[in-house]
């Protein structure tokens, strides 16, 4: 392939893949998926996970501020959960 082909915005990705890999036995492409910014973490889901722990363990999770603190490992959002909210 030439540089012009690799950087041609009008060349569809399937065509680009075919030109690069048509010697291969099999080439698969998937439907494009739109990217979006953000995290799918959800306070209600976090509460439902905490609610599955036995009461004794939930009580042990409560911190000095009176809340169970859960933070999302992806976006670092902090979810303070009151013990009575997951009873
Ligand atoms: Zn998150």
């Amino acid at each position: 392939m030439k540089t012009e082909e690799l950087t041609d915005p009008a060349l569809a990705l399937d065509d680009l893949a075919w030109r690069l890999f048509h010697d291969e036995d099999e080439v698969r492409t998937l439907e494009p998926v739109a990217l979006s910014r953000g995290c799918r973490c959800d306070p209600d889901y976090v509460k439902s996970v905490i609610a599955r722990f036995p009461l004794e363990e939930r009580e042990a999770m409560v911190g000095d501020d009176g809340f169970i603190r859960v933070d999302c490992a992806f976006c670092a959002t902090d979810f303070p959960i009151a013990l009575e909210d997951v009873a």
Side-chain angles (χ1 to χ4, degrees):
M1 285 189 76
K2 295 176 183 160
T3 304
E4 304 85 71
E5 292 174 280
L6 283 172
T7 56
D8 180 359
L11 183 61
L13 287 176
D14 282 357
D15 295 331
L16 179 66
W18 189 85
R19 290 185 195 181
L20 287 169
F21 303 111
H22 64 274
D23 284 341
E24 300 293 327
D25 292 335
E26 184 177 354
V27 177
R28 294 187 205 177
T29 59
L30 303 176
E31 286 297 313
V33 176
L35 299 177
S36 62
R37 187 164 190 254
C39 187
R40 290 182 292 178
C41 63
D42 166 19
D44 288 335
Y45 176 73
V46 173
K47 281 183 197 169
S48 76
V49 171
I50 295 298
R52 286 181 224 152
F53 286 88
L55 178 61
E56 192 176 282
E57 288 185 39
R58 276 183 270 146
E59 286 172 343
M61 293 177 198
V62 175
D64 293 340
D65 63 356
F67 291 95
I68 297 169
R69 292 275 175 182
V70 178
D71 63 331
C72 175
F74 294 101
C75 70
T77 298
D78 182 47
F79 297 101
I81 298 169
L83 191 58
E84 58 270 22
D85 283 352
V86 289

